[in-house]
Amino acid sequence: MASPSMAMDPRIWRNLPQNLLDRILAFLPPPSFFRARAVCKRLYSLIFSDTFLEMHLHLSPSLHWFLFFPSTNIPTPTTTTTTTTPTTLSTAFLLNTNDNTWHHLSFSSLIPPNFSPAASSGGLLCFISTTPGLKTLILCNPLSKLISQLPSSLRPRLFPSVGLTVGHSSFICVIAGDDLISPFAVKNLTAETFHADGLTGFYSPWTTASSLPRLCNLESGLMLFISGRFYCMNYSPFSVLAYDVASNDWFKIQAPMRRFLRCPSLVDLGGRVVLVAAVEKSKLNVPRSLRLWVLQPCGRAWAELDRMPAEVYRQFSEAEGGHGFECVGHGCLIVITIKDSNDILLFNSHRKVWWWAPPCPFLDVRQRRGLRGFAYEPRLATPSVGLLETPTSISFHAFSA
């Protein structure tokens, strides 16, 4: 801690040019920025300033954080029932991986009933309607509380897989599978793409359709977007589905050790497609473990990247207990969430370090509902939503911690 003699003279701060002060504030992480807004009216109003938001957009460092929703707020193909009781999304928990601190975000007055989180990218979360039929998607910035609604999809679906990639001036959204071919049956037949680009003026609202490969089963998993392609897991047997946006084509990639995998997940690890799964077979010559494979540049072959140390895997197996798990990647980090548990395991691929996240203080330790994780980069400004119609709701709230 600096001594009083080293403290900066308040008169220096008072005389700093406003543009220089704004530039300093643009580097603050969101929790610090929202606390600084309480200093005076001018700082409070910065979030309404287009000039400041543009500066923040270009200067603020990338933050590889994760957002978690209680799994009870997220239906699955087996829990998306025909009941008419509406489900309301109320809360989420933000993990700052730089210092392992938690923050609480409320969605109770923002997202309407019967919507659940489905994807994230570029500071935006994508929510999809959970009622069967034509699908409605909402893009939401959790910090500015600005939301925009996409037009309804062209095909009725039950609970399709969703992919999203967001840039400063463009976004692409894909929904795939779970085509409602009758009120009582679904098949994974087609995908639809929504593409908007402010630089080229290209705007394609669900007019780009494509056929999925035969005998595919997406199981409503998360999609990745890397180097012009969306990727998602395919089940029975395990493989990877890839969608090339430019050519509008889907194809399959065989998964490594596909007969011995359990709970496979695809993660984005520093711009690389990585498959994470438990490897289990009673007569396998190697110990049971959790392994990571990276997709090679050829786009067809895999190479083992890393595996969980034996002692960590023993702890993980005890916590997981065969209930299943999911993985999400962001930057050099991977988080593993366990079904029916609030425990979260993290892996830093650069430092080769595994550790358990501190318990979320906003969760009741007596209720182990499970958490669904999403990669999240907090951004005060997400201008690509301006490519849609006038936002349906705009309000501004501070972080609560």
Side-chain angles (χ1 to χ4, degrees):
M1 185 174 182
S3 63
S5 61
M6 297 176 61
M8 181 176 286
D9 190 329
R11 290 173 297 180
I12 298 178
W13 284 103
R14 188 181 301 118
N15 295 323
L16 278 178
Q18 293 293 350
N19 60 342
L20 180 57
L21 180 60
D22 290 353
R23 191 175 183 88
I24 295 172
L25 294 173
F27 284 93
L28 288 178
S32 300
F33 171 78
F34 280 103
R35 287 193 294 268
R37 292 181 69 213
V39 172
C40 63
K41 290 183 178 180
R42 184 184 178 278
L43 297 189
Y44 182 85
S45 65
L46 283 178
I47 199 169
F48 304 100
S49 168
D50 292 340
T51 302
F52 175 79
L53 291 178
E54 183 176 0
M55 183 188 304
H56 178 272
L57 193 66
H58 292 93
L59 296 181
S60 60
S62 296
L63 299 174
H64 300 138
W65 294 4
F66 294 90
L67 196 61
F68 298 90
F69 292 87
S71 57
T72 52
N73 289 141
I74 305 177
T76 65
T78 57
T79 61
T80 307
T81 64
T82 57
T83 178
T84 58
T85 303
T87 57
T88 302
L89 182 70
S90 60
T91 190
F93 313 108
L94 181 62
L95 176 60
N96 178 349
T97 54
N98 295 329
D99 56 12
N100 284 332
T101 57
W102 289 92
H103 303 274
H104 175 270
L105 295 176
S106 175
F107 291 87
S108 57
S109 61
L110 189 65
I111 304 301
N114 292 328
F115 276 78
S116 68
S120 64
S121 177
L124 292 176
L125 292 175
C126 179
F127 296 85
I128 188 170
S129 55
T130 57
T131 53
L134 300 179
K135 288 301 176 180
T136 300
L137 274 67
I138 292 176
L139 299 182
C140 169
N141 183 328
L143 299 190
S144 67
K145 304 298 182 183
L146 184 148
I147 67 172
S148 290
Q149 181 174 307
L150 276 67
S152 297
S153 64
L154 301 181
R155 291 177 179 264
R157 303 177 187 273
L158 184 59
F159 197 64
S161 295
V162 178
L164 176 70
T165 178
V166 176
H168 290 340
S169 59
S170 65
F171 70 87
I172 304 173
C173 189
V174 175
I175 54 176
D178 260 13
D179 303 62
L180 278 169
I181 58 176
S182 78
F184 310 101
V186 297
K187 284 188 177 181
N188 294 311
L189 299 174
T190 65
E192 300 171 73
T193 305
F194 191 114
H195 190 181
D197 191 322
L199 293 180
T200 63
F202 183 75
Y203 186 79
S204 176
W206 304 123
T207 53
T208 303
S210 53
S211 299
L212 296 174
R214 293 182 64 252
L215 304 177
C216 68
N217 187 358
L218 282 71
E219 288 292 340
S220 301
L222 298 176
M223 289 190 188
L224 310 178
F225 182 82
I226 298 176
S227 301
R229 291 177 177 176
F230 284 96
Y231 297 87
C232 59
M233 283 302 305
N234 184 57
Y235 291 75
S236 300
F238 290 130
S239 63
V240 174
L241 292 180
Y243 170 59
D244 189 288
V245 175
S247 63
N248 195 33
D249 289 326
W250 289 83
F251 56 92
K252 287 185 180 181
I253 305 171
Q254 183 169 317
M257 302 182 69
R258 60 179 182 173
R259 296 175 182 267
F260 312 129
L261 302 181
R262 185 170 69 87
C263 299
S265 296
L266 291 177
V267 302
D268 180 350
L269 197 60
R272 297 176 295 174
V273 180
V274 172
L275 189 151
V276 184
V279 176
E280 297 181 354
K281 185 186 178 186
S282 57
K283 296 183 180 180
L284 206 61
N285 294 328
V286 295
R288 295 185 177 187
S289 61
L290 187 141
R291 302 191 191 183
L292 288 72
W293 294 270
V294 60
L295 186 64
Q296 297 300 285
C298 64
R300 295 290 181 178
W302 301 85
E304 184 170 322
L305 182 66
D306 213 321
R307 66 178 66 181
M308 185 180 289
E311 177 59 25
V312 179
Y313 184 72
R314 183 188 64 79
Q315 299 174 14
F316 173 73
S317 297
E318 292 178 357
E320 189 255 344
H323 294 290
F325 58 92
E326 293 182 336
C327 305
V328 179
H330 198 196
C332 65
L333 301 175
I334 294 176
V335 299
I336 304 175
T337 55
I338 299 173
K339 294 182 179 179
D340 301 323
S341 171
N342 298 334
D343 296 328
I344 298 173
L345 183 63
L346 295 96
F347 173 60
N348 187 312
S349 61
H350 287 172
R351 297 163 50 200
K352 307 295 183 182
V353 175
W354 299 82
W355 76 98
W356 293 94
C360 178
F362 308 107
L363 286 171
D364 188 342
V365 295
R366 296 170 296 180
Q367 297 181 354
R368 303 181 67 81
R369 298 177 293 177
L371 297 170
R372 184 82 180 276
F374 293 85
Y376 178 63
E377 181 181 349
R379 293 183 180 177
L380 299 179
T382 47
S384 56
V385 295
L387 299 173
L388 297 170
E389 296 179 317
T390 302
T392 58
S393 175
I394 301 177
S395 61
F396 298 91
H397 299 270
F399 255 87
S400 59

